[in-house]
């Protein structure tokens, strides 16, 4: 009986430990952890679920760990046409990423920095990313909204700081270092913003693939 009790307790302990591990996802190259579920700003409960995390590098230098979140309830419908497809196949599918980019369902990208980056470098990187989709910002019909978005990044980022982008419908809400910076509400710009990480010309392919490395729960 005593042995059975010990075995039972051991199983309970293992299950408990597994649950604790499952509550977070770790980006392996930086050790940065991300909660499995997070909330949209103002939401009463977490509804966004992590679909993976990856590393952003610049000339082989580690810059930040980034994670992608999709709405747990609607993601299976958004990605219904990819049901049963392996993660490895999805990581190389432009149509898969396009479905995420163009979806109006809630989503988010979190970035946890592993080095200091000045605000000018942050804006420059995001401007370059937008131009891969929009073309030259100065000549874009979305210039005003694009410049509004870029102007929100007016803080130098230090190691361990975080940038978060939350999307819902055509809006993208920006948070830097735990403070809300504002919202842009434009469908085409929102798609260009998500494309910085998930589009045909992402900041880095490894980050893009890492961000969907655990999407299996949405396509099973």
């Amino acid at each position: 009986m005593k042995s059975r009790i010990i075995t039972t307790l051991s199983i309970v302990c293992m299950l408990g430990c597994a649950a604790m591990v499952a509550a977070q996802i770790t980006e392996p190259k930086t050790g940065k952890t991300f909660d499995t579920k997070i909330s949209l700003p103002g939401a009463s409960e977490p509804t966004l679920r992590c679909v993976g995390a990856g590393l952003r590098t610049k000339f082989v230098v580690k810059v930040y760990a980034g994670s992608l979140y999709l709405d747990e309830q609607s993601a299976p419908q958004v990605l219904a046409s990819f049901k049963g497809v392996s993660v490895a196949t999805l990581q190389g599918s432009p149509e898969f990423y396009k479905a995420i980019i163009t979806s109006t369902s809630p989503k988010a990208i979190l970035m946890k920095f592993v080095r200091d980056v000045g605000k000018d470098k942050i804006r420059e990187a995001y401007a370059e990313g937008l131009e891969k989709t929009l073309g030259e910002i100065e000549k874009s019909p979305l210039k005003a909204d694009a410049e509004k978005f870029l102007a929100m990044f007016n803080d130098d980022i230090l190691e361990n700081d975080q940038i978060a982008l939350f999307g819902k419908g055509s809006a993208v809400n920006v948070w830097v270092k735990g403070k809300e910076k504002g919202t842009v509400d434009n469908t085409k710009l929102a798609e260009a913003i998500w494309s910085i990480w998930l589009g045909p010309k992402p900041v880095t392919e490894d980050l893009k693939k890492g961000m969907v490395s655990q999407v299996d729960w949405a396509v099973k």
Side-chain angles (χ1 to χ4, degrees):
M1 177 64 73
K2 183 176 181 180
S3 175
R4 185 178 299 175
I5 291 173
I6 292 174
T7 301
T8 302
L9 288 174
S10 297
I11 293 172
V12 171
C13 181
M14 287 189 292
L15 290 173
C17 291
M20 288 175 65
V21 172
Q24 290 189 320
I25 289 175
T26 301
E27 195 293 304
K29 295 180 181 178
T30 61
K32 293 294 185 183
T33 58
F34 297 90
D35 290 341
T36 301
K37 293 184 181 182
I38 62 172
S39 304
L40 282 170
S44 59
E45 60 183 50
T47 58
L48 302 182
R49 182 170 171 179
C50 189
V51 292
L55 174 64
R56 161 67 159 131
T57 57
K58 181 75 171 180
F59 302 125
V60 308
V61 176
K62 296 177 182 178
V63 183
Y64 61 79
S67 62
L68 173 66
Y69 290 78
L70 300 179
D71 180 65
E72 187 169 28
Q73 192 167 33
S74 61
Q77 285 73 49
V78 171
L79 302 175
S81 61
F82 304 98
K83 185 175 181 179
V85 179
S86 71
V87 171
T89 299
L90 293 176
Q91 287 175 316
S93 169
E95 293 79 13
F96 167 69
Y97 291 107
K98 185 177 180 180
I100 296 174
I101 290 168
T102 58
S103 169
T104 56
S105 294
K107 51 183 170 281
I109 286 178
L110 303 188
M111 290 157 272
K112 295 187 175 183
F113 285 75
V114 296
R115 60 180 286 111
D116 298 352
V117 184
K119 57 190 175 186
D120 293 339
K121 290 294 184 181
I122 295 287
R123 286 196 297 265
E124 179 184 336
Y126 292 167
E128 289 177 357
L130 289 178
E131 288 180 344
K132 291 176 181 178
T133 300
L134 301 177
E136 188 177 344
I137 290 176
E138 282 295 319
K139 299 179 180 179
S140 171
L142 304 182
K143 176 185 174 181
D145 282 335
E147 289 183 341
K148 177 183 177 183
F149 170 73
L150 295 172
M152 295 177 193
F153 303 97
N154 55 3
D155 293 291
D156 293 328
I157 299 299
L158 304 179
E159 183 180 353
N160 295 321
D161 283 343
Q162 179 173 297
I163 291 177
L165 306 178
F166 296 93
K168 187 176 182 181
S170 58
V172 178
N173 183 229
V174 177
W175 289 68
V176 179
K177 301 168 73 165
K179 296 181 180 180
E180 185 176 11
K181 290 293 185 175
T183 301
V184 286
D185 195 343
N186 183 299
T187 298
K188 290 188 178 297
L189 181 61
E191 292 178 2
I193 291 170
W194 303 119
S195 293
I196 293 174
W197 295 273
L198 304 173
K201 299 178 181 179
V203 287
T204 55
E205 282 289 341
D206 285 347
L207 175 59
K208 175 180 175 178
K209 291 179 179 179
M211 281 184 161
V212 297
S213 59
Q214 300 191 40
V215 74
D216 51 315
W217 64 263
V219 294
K220 64 183 179 180

